[in-house]
């Protein structure tokens, strides 16, 4: 269980310049069209907005932010940092942890064994807490379903909510997010590539569109929304 | 990193795969260690058969608990009082299991190589839970897991394995796996309890326990297996204890952080004194707990992805 980190720097005055989210798509090395959805600056602002929305609804409560590895954990830590910055004196306690859902997946027989990631929950558990699950991309909803199952085995939170950086649609289960950074209409064949400084050295969200110009194969896909399911 | 289709020998695991199994076990422990509901839905609807042709309570219970904690259905098949005692062959038993749709078969047999034969007859994953005097790979994995928890990276660590190496499948599997993980293994035993060909193993051999223990990072005591000893391998139990038993004086020769392991069940007073077995540096009880975790990791890794085209 990690302590609440220092607030994420995000973009500063001297930081990267903001680019339009509707920048013209460019072809990457694999021949796929890449369009930037969130730049470092807009990603930081999006995290700030979600933090404010969480405070608006649960500003007085003890909040447990549980990130779903890998990038969900980084997001949860950043959110925790921003919550700590924005919260007033009457705010409740904010803790941050991670919840690996691999052993709760419903497709384990269809894929080679996956490496398990870290699970760390607050020392005093999650009973009666307000738990906000944090993930980078919401797609089929199966990851969140698995996370809800995992949570149930860890305790009985008072409220469970979901915060995601990107909702790309194509839900296969009746699941929706309470806090959405950005809704992106996508095709099944698209990938949503989320990159974060902690793992990828840069903050960005790109839409990678396969087309006749060449398939996306073997290209580095930091977060492949299509295989996270 | 390549997960083999079966786990028959510690030699089936290269360094990356062995570390992957141990890391997976650590994650499982992290996920369920402290919580009230110690059960995962991972293997729901899968069938694991414990096929035990040889008496074993500890290993069978450990595998049973591991499978049940992953929500698998567990069938315990012991040879005593079964069709085997009526003369059914291993092959017929295998076909029966195959017809029943066993996803994994955990096999303990008094004949070396039986799990290997079985793996050719069934579609499910076969896990060797001890075959004759050959191997016991999950015991080696749980020992390595325990050693890693206390010593960290095993590369360069000095591990001393003491006692009845000749009859010990635990020792064989441990030698293979610890060597794979980069540890320096020293075998200490009376000459009569060392196998022919031990010179070709990746170990040092010594007959002097005191010298071997000096500054060692861990000592693994083996059970004297009276049930496998038809001949006279040493004059008396007392003499064995004097030469190869672990007492307080010998324990104190270990490095300050040194730990004591034993695969169990122990012959207290023969290969290990109660004082050492129950002492602060003894991790013998922890080994039992780690056994369940490591076997969960093995079952998860062997039973995932079998519907993947081209998966082993």
């Amino acid at each position: 269980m990690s302590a609440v980190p220092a607030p994420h720097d995000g973009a500063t005055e001297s930081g990267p310049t903001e680019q339009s989210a509707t920048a013209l798509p460019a072809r990457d090395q694999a021949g796929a069209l890449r369009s930037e959805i969130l730049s470092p600056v807009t990603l930081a602002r999006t995290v700030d907005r979600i933090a404010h929305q969480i405070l608006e609804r649960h500003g007085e409560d003890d909040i447990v932010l549980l990130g779903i590895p890998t990038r969900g954990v980084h997001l949860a830590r950043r959110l925790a940092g921003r919550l700590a910055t924005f919260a007033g004196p009457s705010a409740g306690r904010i803790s941050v942890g991670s919840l690996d859902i691999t052993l709760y997946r419903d497709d384990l027989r269809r894929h080679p064994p996956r490496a398990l990631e870290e699970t760390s929950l607050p020392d005093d558990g999650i009973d009666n807490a307000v738990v906000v699950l944090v993930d980078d991309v919401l797609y089929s909803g199966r990851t969140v379903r698995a996370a809800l199952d995992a949570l149930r085995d860890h305790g009985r939170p008072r409220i469970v909510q979901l915060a995601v950086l990107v909702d790309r649609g194509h839900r296969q289960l009746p699941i929706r997010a309470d806090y959405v950074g950005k809704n992106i209409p996508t095709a099944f064949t698209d990938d949503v590539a989320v990159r974060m400084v902690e793992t990828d050295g840069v903050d960005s969200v790109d839409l990678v569109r396969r087309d006749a110009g060449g398939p996306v194969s073997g290209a580095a896909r930091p977060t492949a929304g299509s295989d996270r399911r | 990193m390549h997960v083999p289709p079966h786990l028959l020998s510690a030699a089936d695991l290269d360094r990356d795969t062995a570390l992957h199994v141990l890391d997976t076990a650590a994650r499982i422990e992290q996920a369920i260690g402290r919580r009230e509901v110690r059960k995962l839905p991972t293997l729901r609807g899968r069938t694991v058969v414990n096929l035990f042709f040889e008496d074993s309570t500890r290993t069978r219970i450990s595998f049973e608990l591991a499978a049940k904690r992953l929500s698998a259905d567990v069938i315990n098949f012991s040879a005593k009082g079964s069709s085997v005692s009526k003369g059914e062959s291993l092959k017929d038993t295998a076909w029966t299991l195959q017809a029943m749709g066993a996803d994994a078969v955990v096999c303990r047999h008094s004949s070396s190589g039986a799990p290997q034969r079985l793996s050719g007859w069934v579609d499910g994953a076969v896990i060797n839970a001890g075959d004759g005097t050959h191997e016991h790979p999950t015991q080696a994995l749980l020992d390595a897991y325990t050693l890693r928890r206390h010593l960290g990276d095993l590369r360069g660590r000095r591990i001393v394995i003491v006692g009845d190496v000749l009859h010990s499948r635990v020792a064989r599997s441990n030698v293979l796996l610890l060597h794979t993980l980069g540890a320096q293994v020293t075998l200490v035993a009376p000459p009569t309890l060392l196998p022919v060909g031990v010179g070709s193993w990746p170990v040092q051999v010594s007959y002097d326990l005191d010298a071997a223990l000096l500054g060692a990072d861990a000592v693994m005591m083996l059970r004297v297996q009276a049930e496998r000893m038809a001949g006279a391998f040493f004059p008396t139990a007392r003499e064995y204890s004097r030469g190869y038993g672990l007492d307080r004086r010998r324990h104190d020769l270990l490095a300050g952080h040194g730990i004591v392991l034993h695969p169990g069940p122990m012959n207290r007073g023969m290969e290990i004194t109660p004082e050492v077995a129950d002492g602060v540096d003894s991790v013998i009880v922890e080994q039992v707990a780690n056994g369940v975790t490591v076997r969960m990791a093995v079952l998860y890794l062997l039973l995932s992805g079998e519907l993947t085209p081209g998966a082993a």
Side-chain angles (χ1 to χ4, degrees):
Chain A
M1 192 68 207
S2 51
V4 174
H8 174 62
D9 293 341
T12 57
E13 291 295 318
S14 58
T17 53
E18 183 173 356
Q19 296 172 23
S20 160
T22 52
L24 285 175
R27 287 202 183 278
D28 65 11
Q29 289 176 333
L33 285 171
R34 274 186 102 88
S35 341
E36 186 181 70
I37 304 295
L38 292 176
S39 67
V41 174
T42 48
L43 192 147
R45 283 183 187 156
T46 301
V47 171
D48 285 358
R49 176 170 53 78
I50 295 174
H52 280 296
Q53 288 174 328
I54 292 172
L55 284 174
E56 197 176 0
R57 288 163 73 169
H58 296 290
E60 320 287 296
D61 295 316
D62 290 346
I63 299 169
V64 179
L65 294 158
L66 286 183
I68 297 173
T70 310
R71 290 171 186 77
V73 179
H74 304 319
L75 271 171
R77 289 192 181 131
R78 289 195 198 182
L79 271 172
R82 303 313 277 157
L83 286 171
T85 303
F86 302 145
S90 64
R93 209 154 38 101
I94 296 155
S95 1
V96 63
S98 62
L99 183 69
D100 181 48
I101 53 93
T102 309
L103 294 167
Y104 288 82
R105 296 179 68 102
D106 60 6
D107 60 351
L108 289 171
R109 298 179 73 165
R110 291 173 174 78
H111 295 277
R114 298 161 188 264
L116 306 187
E117 304 286 347
E118 185 182 16
T119 296
S120 67
L121 273 74
D123 288 339
D124 45 2
I126 54 170
D127 284 348
N128 299 316
V130 173
V131 171
V132 180
L133 292 169
V134 184
D135 204 1
D136 51 359
V137 178
L138 177 58
Y139 184 21
S140 68
R142 289 174 188 271
T143 297
V144 177
R145 195 273 315 155
L148 291 171
D149 283 353
L151 265 189
R152 191 187 55 187
D153 285 349
H154 282 282
R156 188 178 183 277
R158 183 162 63 86
I159 295 172
V160 182
Q161 294 188 322
L162 174 63
V164 297
L165 189 60
V166 171
D167 183 346
R168 61 168 295 187
H170 300 288
R171 210 76 74 247
Q172 295 168 3
L173 294 167
I175 282 172
R176 64 165 180 77
D178 300 271
Y179 311 101
V180 180
K182 193 158 184 77
N183 285 293
I184 310 176
T186 61
F188 262 125
T189 50
D190 294 344
D191 286 328
V192 175
V194 176
R195 287 182 289 187
M196 299 190 72
V197 166
E198 293 88 337
T199 42
D200 313 297
V202 63
D203 279 346
S204 72
V205 178
D206 290 348
L207 181 63
V208 184
R209 177 149 287 173
R210 296 185 183 96
D211 66 351
V216 182
S217 59
R221 295 184 304 167
T223 295
S226 58
D227 69 8
R228 273 297 298 272
R229 296 176 57 74
Chain B
M1 203 276 300
H2 168 69
V3 177
H6 309 285
L7 182 57
L8 305 170
S9 158
D12 293 343
L13 304 170
D14 58 24
R15 182 178 159 79
D16 284 351
T17 309
L19 289 175
H20 184 54
V21 174
L22 299 176
D23 288 342
T24 300
R27 292 295 194 202
I28 288 174
E29 184 183 350
Q30 197 179 58
I32 65 169
R34 289 183 311 158
R35 70 189 202 190
E36 217 172 295
V37 181
R38 290 191 170 191
K39 209 171 169 83
L40 295 157
T42 316
L43 299 182
R44 207 160 56 90
R46 322 295 293 285
T47 304
V48 176
V49 176
N50 279 336
L51 183 62
F52 278 62
F53 290 89
E54 202 182 50
D55 286 343
S56 161
T57 307
R58 306 161 70 90
T59 305
R60 186 181 59 74
I61 287 177
S62 183
F63 269 109
E64 185 172 351
L65 201 50
K68 283 180 171 170
R69 284 203 177 153
L70 289 169
S71 303
D73 297 319
V74 183
I75 309 292
N76 282 313
F77 181 106
S78 63
K80 274 190 181 153
S82 73
S83 48
V84 174
S85 60
K86 298 171 190 169
E88 185 178 66
S89 68
L90 181 64
K91 193 169 189 176
D92 286 331
T93 305
W95 283 354
T96 305
L97 296 175
Q98 179 68 18
M100 290 178 178
D103 296 295
V105 181
V106 179
C107 179
R108 153 86 48 116
H109 204 287
S110 56
S111 300
S112 302
Q116 172 99 33
R117 294 305 305 271
L118 194 68
S119 67
W121 293 326
V122 297
D123 290 339
V126 175
I127 300 170
N128 180 359
D131 58 337
T133 58
H134 176 227
E135 281 219 46
H136 194 351
T138 57
Q139 178 70 45
L141 281 164
L142 78 88
D143 289 342
Y145 182 78
T146 308
L147 287 164
R148 242 179 135 214
R149 276 185 68 170
H150 290 269
L151 305 176
D153 190 344
L154 296 185
R155 277 179 294 194
R157 292 294 194 176
R158 282 187 46 223
I159 317 291
V160 182
I161 301 179
V162 187
D164 184 1
V165 178
L166 177 64
H167 300 100
S168 177
R169 49 202 177 199
V170 173
R172 277 171 185 70
S173 288
N174 261 303
V175 165
L176 288 165
L177 186 64
L178 290 172
H179 174 68
T180 299
L181 295 174
Q184 296 173 12
V185 181
T186 305
L187 298 179
V188 182
T192 50
L193 288 176
L194 283 169
V196 173
V198 75
S200 65
W201 294 14
V203 295
Q204 293 177 313
V205 177
S206 167
Y207 305 121
D208 182 351
L209 183 53
D210 288 19
L213 287 178
L214 198 58
D217 297 296
V219 59
M220 196 178 289
M221 303 307 296
L222 300 172
R223 185 170 64 89
V224 177
Q225 301 190 44
E227 76 274 16
R228 294 188 203 277
M229 293 193 193
F233 291 90
F234 47 83
T236 64
R238 187 175 163 78
E239 183 159 334
Y240 180 88
S241 295
R242 270 215 306 269
Y244 301 97
L246 189 66
D247 56 11
R248 169 59 50 190
R249 183 188 64 80
R250 284 193 170 130
H251 162 273
D252 292 343
L253 297 172
L254 290 170
H257 56 258
I259 54 172
V260 177
L261 296 91
H262 192 302
M266 287 180 280
N267 297 309
R268 284 171 181 263
M270 181 134 177
E271 68 258 7
I272 190 166
T273 61
E275 183 192 11
V276 176
D278 304 328
V280 288
D281 295 330
S282 164
V283 294
I284 296 168
V285 176
E286 188 190 316
Q287 282 174 274
V288 178
N290 292 343
V292 177
T293 312
V294 163
R295 286 169 180 132
M296 286 173 79
V298 168
L299 285 167
Y300 161 65
L301 292 171
L302 288 184
L303 290 182
S304 290
E306 89 278 31
L307 299 183
T308 316

